[in-house]
Amino acid sequence: MTDIFESVNYVETKNAVKNMMNLYKLLLLRLEENQLPKMTAKYGLSFGGRASVRNTKSSVESYVIKKIILEGQIEEYVNKIISAFNRLDEDERKYLYLKYLTDMTMSDEQIMPQCHMCLRNFRELKKLAYVKFALALGIEVYS
């Protein structure tokens, strides 16, 4: 396992995760309020999927079908991100949640006290969180 962490380009992988989390937040804008993923007490994400059946009896049926297909693709993508996120340890999920999924953007200096770690352990947690999440999504970048 150490060889994988050493061969992964941390900076580029971190940027890939950042881009993925930004895309995730944008995709959530397309989902209905009652479909949005919810954060659990242990920083896991749960996603209910579709809450209603779409009406395809519109005069613009092809547009509606395309929209339904797009929403299905968005839900599939969101589910993939949630699945990868939930495979992380609780501390790793907490870090990524506080960094990317809260309403306010938090700096590492603001997050570290909430993780109750010294600087060295916090840096290791960050690296593990980014690399493991990227590996789970298949977006890691190698040196």
Side-chain angles (χ1 to χ4, degrees):
M1 188 69 146
T2 307
D3 293 337
I4 292 174
F5 283 105
E6 290 174 3
S7 63
V8 170
N9 182 328
Y10 173 69
V11 173
E12 291 298 319
T13 298
K14 180 180 173 181
N15 288 334
V17 168
K18 180 181 177 182
N19 292 337
M20 181 66 70
M21 295 306 275
N22 289 334
L23 176 62
Y24 172 78
K25 288 198 286 191
L26 287 174
L27 292 176
L28 293 183
L29 295 174
R30 293 293 303 258
L31 297 176
E32 296 175 17
E33 186 67 31
N34 60 352
Q35 291 180 284
L36 294 177
K38 307 290 186 239
M39 187 60 58
T40 66
K42 295 207 180 261
Y43 296 95
L45 285 171
S46 63
F47 184 56
R50 288 184 188 227
S52 63
V53 176
R54 304 280 183 218
N55 180 6
T56 59
K57 297 179 182 178
S58 169
S59 62
V60 193
E61 191 173 49
S62 63
Y63 171 77
V64 173
I65 290 171
K66 283 182 183 180
K67 187 174 179 187
I68 290 171
I69 291 170
L70 177 62
E71 287 175 2
Q73 291 170 339
I74 290 172
E75 287 180 12
E76 183 180 325
Y77 202 73
V78 168
N79 275 322
K80 181 180 177 181
I81 293 170
I82 289 171
S83 175
F85 187 86
N86 286 337
R87 292 169 68 188
L88 302 176
D89 294 336
E90 183 178 345
D91 287 337
E92 296 160 349
R93 291 191 309 260
K94 183 177 183 178
Y95 171 75
L96 290 175
Y97 171 75
L98 293 172
K99 185 72 175 177
Y100 296 106
L101 300 178
T102 57
D103 292 334
M104 280 183 41
T105 303
M106 297 179 75
S107 68
D108 287 344
E109 291 77 22
Q110 293 170 313
I111 296 171
M112 191 169 77
Q114 295 187 35
C115 292
H116 308 290
M117 294 182 171
C118 66
L119 183 59
R120 181 177 181 212
N121 290 346
F122 183 72
R123 285 182 179 160
E124 187 175 316
L125 169 71
K126 278 178 38 178
K127 185 173 184 175
L128 282 172
Y130 282 116
V131 172
K132 285 172 64 176
F133 187 59
L135 284 168
L137 284 170
I139 60 169
E140 73 276 13
V141 179
Y142 292 96
S143 302

